[in-house]
Amino acid sequence: MKVRKKKKKKQLPLRLNILIFVVFLLFSALILRLGIVQIVYGDDYKREIEKTEEVTVQNSVPRGKIFDRNGQIIVDNQPLYAITYTRTQKTSTEEMLETAEKLAQLIEVNTDKVRERDKKDFWILLNPTEAKNKITEAEYKKLNDGKLTDDEIYQMQLDRITEDDIDFSEDELEVLAIYSRFISGYYLSPQIVKNNETTYEEVARVNEHIENLPGVDTTTDWERKYAYGSTLKSVLGKVSTSSEGLPSDKANYYLARGYSRNDRVGTSYLEQQYEEVLRGQQERIRNVTDTSGNIVSTEIITEGQRGNDLILTIDMDLQMATEEIIEKQLKAKTGAGDTKYLDRAYVVVSDPKTGELLTMAGKKYSRDEETGKMKMTDHALGTFTSSYAMGSSVKGATILTGYQTGAISPGQVILDAPMKIKGTPVKKSWKTFGNITDIDALRVSSNVYMFKTAIMLGGGNYVEGGSLSVKDSAFSTMRSYYNQFGLGVKTGLDLPGEVAGYKGITQNAGLLMDFAIGQYDTYTPMQLNQYVSTIANGGNRVKLHLLKEVREPSDEDDALGKVVKEVQTEVLNTLPMKQSWIKRVQEGFRQVTQTPGGTAYSYFSGAAYKPAGKTGTAEAFYDGPKWEVGTVQPETYNITFVSYAPADNPEIAISVVVPWAYQSTGHKMNLEIAKSVYEKYFDLKAERAGTKKKSDSNDDE
């Protein structure tokens, strides 16, 4: 019988069993870990994945409008098509460059402002390998050794980029211009890529491809529109562009007040002075982004509102007419043979009782260096930023100072005859008048009467042929009283940049006498107006101002909004003088224009508006643009005129200043300008009264 062999059972090697066991443990640990993540920390991770960030940005709104006193719009906001770009925190340089290339195929952009440095930076961006090769291995070693900085290496790259390297085509320059606008914007803040001259066709093309232009959008923007062209534009001031943003020297000031760096602000004069009023309430938007920086939702927190409107005291009809009058006179007089240096003239018109400025006009007529042709330019700023010797126009202040100090008494008779002082040329009036009173002295413009008033004020004693001295304090005394009229001090004008004029340094008797006839210290045309207004209204120095009202913006183009603020008359000081004294000077001024012998009588006799005023001629030294520093200053004459009308109840005050009018033989451009301005003012007044009367009559019907 055969014995059956028992089959031997196979067994797994021990090492394989251990491996399987280890794998089992790892899977168990993984399952356990996944369970913990899902059950214990699942909600936390879900919140992390869905985590968002809220970023608030501000959008610019149009500025307030500017109107004249009659409701005529001076500065408006012109709507513009605009193309914007908004970048997120995660937007890469490559993505922005790609978008810029696509956008450049759809719109045209101006490349004139692309700088050489921009081109070099752009070349490095496009050619990183070539840019790296601009630096030698030895220089890179110095960088690694700390002997050169990254900034120094970069500057070396820039310096070694040749003109051939940056000889970009016009298409490439357009991409660069657009890319530059992209990178100048701030995170989630829309940046203007193009607004000026953006066409409807460009907007349509961009909208058609908007899905392929991440961050790009189309909207409407605005720019300042000046209804009267260059008229008064220098005084109105400027507003920064969206590319300029906040001025660097005032960036911290504006940022502390909630502005964004690319906000447009007033950068000069009226726009700057009333920035807080004109800026409006910016639209505030809350952007919610995911962890990738993509905007997932947008919410308006605060609706934007256009800035408040300014109503100015200026009468634009009178302003325009006055400028035309000045231009006509400048063109006519500069053609004369003795007017080599005449190139400008100024007129300020105000309400002497309220300080409201109706007109502030200035014009310069000079040769254009590029074209060689004569051109007329606005120089209204010169009414308060330039000063001149004003001549006899200031004699009213001299007489009243003489009364107040006791140097002379009202009605005092003084001999007007040539004065001979030892060691000096003869000092005299334009003719010898003999014994005259204070009122006579104003009517005929006696210099000697003013000379002797100043000498007595200074404690001097005039003896023919003898020496003359006065107290040093006489200058400060004279200036102190002149200041009370507004001469030699700022008028309080609500514009930045006003100057106070020049005060002479040397002090002696002869210069004090010159001071008394307006031929030493210098004053601005604006100060001259405040001075004559102080006399016209009976002794109150009233603050001059351009702002009349602030109004809420109106939705209707032809309507004004509700009054927010109305500027009140502000008296800066009152002359510490008797009314009877002021009336004597007013009478002297009246006789200048309305009595035979008055220096302006031939121009204003018979005028229905019955003005009062004072003429002025000052011997001066030319220091204008034609004078070469270091050479002898040519002698010349300034001519001026201050006036108000009607004399018995003034409603306007005028100052006219014509610097460097002629060299020896004279003309009366100052009086011709004033007469024409008066006629225009009263013609406008009558015309408006007739229109109102007719309108009222129609209402009654």
Side-chain angles (χ1 to χ4, degrees), residues 557-678:
D557 291 338
D558 57 349
L560 295 174
K562 180 182 177 183
V563 175
V564 175
K565 175 185 177 182
E566 187 173 358
V567 177
Q568 302 297 321
T569 300
E570 182 178 347
V571 177
L572 299 176
N573 63 267
T574 299
L575 297 180
M577 302 172 185
K578 296 179 181 179
Q579 279 297 307
S580 60
W581 297 349
I582 297 174
K583 287 185 181 298
R584 288 194 68 82
V585 171
Q586 290 174 342
E587 174 58 20
F589 278 20
R590 187 195 67 79
Q591 291 190 16
V592 167
T593 58
Q594 297 186 46
T595 301
T599 53
Y601 176 72
S602 62
Y603 282 84
F604 296 100
S605 62
Y609 46 86
K610 297 187 180 303
K614 183 71 191 75
T615 56
T617 304
E619 296 179 16
F621 291 99
Y622 177 76
D623 59 354
K626 295 180 182 179
W627 174 56
E628 295 182 12
V629 178
T631 63
V632 176
Q633 289 178 273
E635 294 183 7
T636 186
Y637 288 87
N638 302 335
I639 56 175
T640 62
F641 184 58
V642 294
S643 183
Y644 52 88
D648 59 349
N649 186 25
E651 56 185 80
I652 65 166
I654 297 177
S655 62
V656 181
V657 178
V658 185
W660 319 315
Y662 50 82
Q663 280 62 70
S664 57
T665 56
H667 55 76
K668 300 295 184 181
M669 179 175 164
N670 53 336
L671 299 179
E672 291 174 31
I673 288 176
K675 182 179 180 181
S676 296
V677 172
Y678 267 134

Side-chain angles (χ1 to χ4, degrees), residues 445-458:
S445 198
S446 166
N447 285 346
V448 172
Y449 200 100
M450 308 303 152
F451 291 155
K452 292 184 176 180
T453 297
I455 291 170
M456 289 184 282
L457 182 150

Side-chain angles (χ1 to χ4, degrees), residues 257 264 276 484 598 672:
R257 285 158 177 76
R264 282 170 282 185
E276 293 297 325
Q484 294 182 41
E672 291 174 31

Side-chain angles (χ1 to χ4, degrees), residues 319-481:
Q319 176 78 28
M320 293 279 287
T322 301
E323 291 189 5
E324 290 177 6
I325 291 165
I326 296 174
E327 289 181 9
K328 181 179 178 181
Q329 285 291 329
L330 280 174
K331 288 178 180 179
K333 299 300 188 291
T334 52
D338 199 33
T339 56
K340 178 180 179 180
Y341 301 110
L342 171 62
D343 70 345
R344 65 195 66 191
Y346 305 100
V347 176
V348 178
V349 183
S350 72
D351 182 331
K353 297 175 183 177
T354 65
E356 293 183 354
L357 287 166
L358 307 181
T359 294
M360 48 187 303
K363 288 290 179 178
K364 287 177 66 175
Y365 189 50
S366 57
R367 195 169 301 281
D368 189 306
E369 294 182 0
E370 294 183 2
T371 64
K373 298 180 179 180
M374 297 296 289
K375 70 173 183 178
M376 196 75 66
T377 55
D378 174 64
H379 201 238
L381 293 177
T383 58
F384 62 95
T385 63
S386 60
S387 65
Y388 308 93
M390 297 301 186
S392 299
S393 288
V394 305
K395 286 178 179 176
T398 301
I399 292 293
L400 286 168
T401 298
Y403 295 160
Q404 185 65 23
T405 58
I408 59 172
S409 57
Q412 183 172 339
V413 175
I414 293 177
L415 175 65
D416 181 309
M419 298 179 68
K420 300 175 182 178
I421 302 169
K422 184 178 180 180
T424 65
V426 173
K427 297 181 81 68
K428 59 183 181 179
S429 301
W430 61 279
K431 68 179 284 188
T432 299
F433 294 106
N435 288 321
I436 55 174
T437 67
D438 46 359
I439 292 178
D440 296 331
L442 290 173
R443 182 181 75 253
V444 300
S445 198
S446 166
N447 285 346
V448 172
Y449 200 100
M450 308 303 152
F451 291 155
K452 292 184 176 180
T453 297
I455 291 170
M456 289 184 282
L457 182 150
N461 182 33
Y462 168 68
V463 177
E464 185 175 345
S467 300
L468 180 64
S469 62
V470 294
K471 296 180 292 186
D472 288 343
S473 61
F475 281 88
S476 59
T477 299
M478 287 275 282
R479 286 188 179 119
S480 174
Y481 283 105

Side-chain angles (χ1 to χ4, degrees), residues 136-150 152-153:
T136 66
E137 291 184 6
E139 288 165 340
Y140 277 123
K141 187 176 184 306
K142 287 183 179 181
L143 174 65
N144 294 330
D145 293 341
K147 295 180 180 179
L148 288 174
T149 65
D150 289 330
E152 289 172 327
I153 289 291

Side-chain angles (χ1 to χ4, degrees), residues 166-368:
I166 58 175
D167 185 20
F168 294 116
S169 66
E170 186 62 26
D171 289 343
E172 290 173 320
L173 288 176
E174 286 192 354
V175 174
L176 168 54
I178 293 172
Y179 176 76
S180 297
R181 299 299 299 140
F182 282 6
I183 62 175
S184 65
Y186 297 93
Y187 172 46
L188 294 183
S189 181
Q191 176 68 24
I192 300 291
V193 176
K194 182 180 181 182
N195 56 4
N196 193 23
E197 298 182 353
T198 304
T199 66
Y200 175 79
E201 289 74 15
E202 287 178 321
V203 172
R205 285 196 296 268
V206 171
N207 283 331
E208 186 178 349
H209 297 83
I210 203 76
E211 292 182 358
N212 298 318
L213 298 168
V216 175
D217 199 2
T218 58
T219 184
T220 55
D221 194 32
W222 56 270
E223 69 176 359
R224 286 310 229 181
K225 178 182 178 182
Y226 300 90
Y228 293 87
S230 63
T231 299
L232 212 61
K233 192 173 179 180
S234 59
V235 171
L236 296 171
K238 295 181 179 180
V239 177
S240 63
T241 64
S242 56
S243 59
E244 293 169 340
L246 302 180
S248 57
D249 59 334
K250 293 185 177 180
N252 291 336
Y253 170 84
Y254 286 119
L255 289 172
R257 285 158 177 76
Y259 285 73
S260 300
R261 288 189 179 274
N262 59 348
D263 279 345
R264 282 170 282 185
V265 298
T267 58
S268 61
Y269 300 107
L270 202 71
E271 293 275 14
Q272 177 184 331
Q273 181 74 18
Y274 292 107
E275 167 63 26
E276 293 297 325
V277 177
L278 291 167
R279 69 173 294 208
Q281 178 178 289
Q282 292 184 314
E283 182 181 60
R284 298 182 70 238
I285 297 176
R286 180 187 293 117
N287 290 316
V288 181
T289 64
D290 59 22
T291 53
S292 298
N294 300 312
I295 299 175
V296 296
S297 67
T298 297
E299 176 188 358
I300 297 177
I301 303 173
T302 305
E303 292 281 356
Q305 184 181 41
R306 179 170 67 80
N308 284 337
D309 296 332
L310 301 184
I311 311 299
L312 303 186
T313 60
I314 294 290
D315 182 332
M316 285 303 291
D317 291 333
L318 184 62
Q319 176 78 28
M320 293 279 287
T322 301
E323 291 189 5
E324 290 177 6
I325 291 165
I326 296 174
E327 289 181 9
K328 181 179 178 181
Q329 285 291 329
L330 280 174
K331 288 178 180 179
K333 299 300 188 291
T334 52
D338 199 33
T339 56
K340 178 180 179 180
Y341 301 110
L342 171 62
D343 70 345
R344 65 195 66 191
Y346 305 100
V347 176
V348 178
V349 183
S350 72
D351 182 331
K353 297 175 183 177
T354 65
E356 293 183 354
L357 287 166
L358 307 181
T359 294
M360 48 187 303
K363 288 290 179 178
K364 287 177 66 175
Y365 189 50
S366 57
R367 195 169 301 281
D368 189 306

